[in-house]
């Protein structure tokens, strides 16, 4: 799949929480093809101390409106600069990067598990899976109710199950505490979020013999495999998450054991 370096235009921004902003972007021409699970490297011009591009999962692609959505967690000067973008501003992006999730077969029952901002790539995945005839079920976790993001959008594509660590919404605890893991069976699992959570989900999938893919969130600098700062140890040796991932079948990941 070809890669593009293009200036996208901000259509609108939406503050989803005090620390999260959704940025909706468009292009003067048609956006290039993008797969669920791929990501974008963004140049941040409004932050003098931010020299490297920042990676963001593709949150959603709205083909009818020709829009690309990025979900930004505000954690430093660079992401704070992104949160200040306004309608009409330009954002230089390299896209699409990395591989994507394996497309499910029609009729397959899917569990899409996301913790924190790790829910970001699962919205587009769920939408495309449903469009292809699969049945997505979302298991979303956050520390507290205010950090649960895009629930109404997820609900358009499948059943939504929720956990919060403080018990303010859904089941109290982390996503792996939800009883859906014990009472329902799935054909395929996709997971993204903190590595300890993904490890537990991977062990659950292996124990039941369920195909499972994880989207890793290793720190990246270049996005194309040149700098080697996002290397992950796998059964195939050391692989760059940006170039060989970010999506891996859990059987290739050494941390799952």
């Amino acid at each position: 799949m070809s890669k593009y370096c293009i200036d996208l235009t901000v259509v609108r921004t939406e503050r989803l929480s005090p620390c999260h902003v959704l940025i909706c972007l468009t292009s003067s021409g048609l956006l290039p093809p993008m797969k669920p699970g791929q990501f974008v490297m963004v140049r941040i011009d409004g932050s003098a101390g931010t020299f490297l591009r920042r990676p963001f999962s593709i949150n959603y692609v709205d083909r009818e409106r020709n829009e690309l959505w990025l979900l930004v967690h505000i954690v430093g000067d660079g992401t704070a600069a992104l949160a200040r973008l306004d309608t009409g501003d330009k954002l230089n992006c390299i896209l699409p990067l990395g591989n994507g999730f394996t497309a499910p077969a029609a009729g397959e029952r899917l569990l899409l598990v996301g913790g924190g901002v790790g829910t970001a790539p699962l919205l587009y995945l769920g939408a495309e899976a449903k469009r292809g005839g699969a049945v997505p079920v979302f298991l979303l976790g956050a520390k507290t109710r205010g950090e649960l993001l895009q629930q109404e959008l997820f609900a358009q594509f499948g059943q939504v199950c929720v956990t919060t660590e403080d018990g303010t919404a859904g089941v109290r605890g982390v996503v792996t505490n939800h009883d859906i893991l014990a009472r329902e069976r799935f054909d395929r699992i996709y997971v993204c979020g903190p590595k300890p959570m993904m490890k537990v989900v991977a062990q659950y999938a292996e124990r039941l013999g369920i195909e499972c893919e994880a989207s890793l969130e290793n720190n990246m600098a270049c996005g194309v495999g040149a700098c080697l700062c996002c290397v992950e140890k796998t059964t195939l040796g050391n692989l760059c998450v940006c170039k060989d991932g970010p999506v891996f079948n859990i059987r290739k990941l050494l941390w799952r054991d």
Side-chain angles (χ1 to χ4, degrees), residues 15-49:
R15 186 60 68 102
L16 303 183
S17 82
C19 297
H20 299 90
V21 64
L22 178 68
I23 302 175
C24 301
L25 304 159
T26 193
S27 171
S28 57
L30 289 178
L31 290 167
M34 290 173 272
K35 297 179 180 179
Q38 291 186 302
F39 67 98
V40 177
M41 292 294 287
V42 171
R43 189 182 73 206
I44 302 176
D45 297 327
S47 175

Side-chain angles (χ1 to χ4, degrees), residues 16-20 73 115-117 119 141-151 164-165 168:
L16 303 183
S17 82
C19 297
H20 299 90
H73 183 198
V117 78
T119 61
K143 291 183 178 179
T144 187
R145 176 190 291 272
E147 296 181 8
L148 287 167
L149 307 173
Q150 301 181 301
Q151 287 186 77
T164 52
E165 294 181 20
T168 51

Side-chain angles (χ1 to χ4, degrees), residues 26 37 43-44 63-64 66 92 107 110 122 135 138 145 171 176-177 182 195 208 216 219 233 252 255:
T26 193
R43 189 182 73 206
I44 302 176
R63 290 294 173 189
E64 292 185 1
N66 197 41
N92 185 266
L110 317 174
L122 303 183
V135 182
F138 302 98
R145 176 190 291 272
V171 174
T176 49
N177 293 132
K195 190 168 284 187
L208 296 180
L216 305 191
N219 290 330
K233 294 181 179 180
K252 293 182 180 179
W255 53 253

Side-chain angles (χ1 to χ4, degrees), residues 82-135:
L82 290 178
R84 292 192 294 269
L85 289 172
D86 203 354
T87 300
D89 288 341
K90 301 293 184 180
L91 191 63
N92 185 266
C93 300
I94 301 175
L95 78 166
L97 296 173
N99 62 5
F101 294 106
T102 300
E108 282 192 320
R109 187 168 171 81
L110 317 174
L111 182 65
L112 284 62
V113 186
V117 78
T119 61
L122 303 183
L123 182 64
Y124 186 32
L125 173 60
E128 292 295 287
K130 182 179 180 182
R131 187 173 292 114
V135 182

Side-chain angles (χ1 to χ4, degrees), residues 24 59 126-127 130 136 139 163 167 246:
C24 301
N59 178 229
K130 182 179 180 182
L139 178 52
T163 67

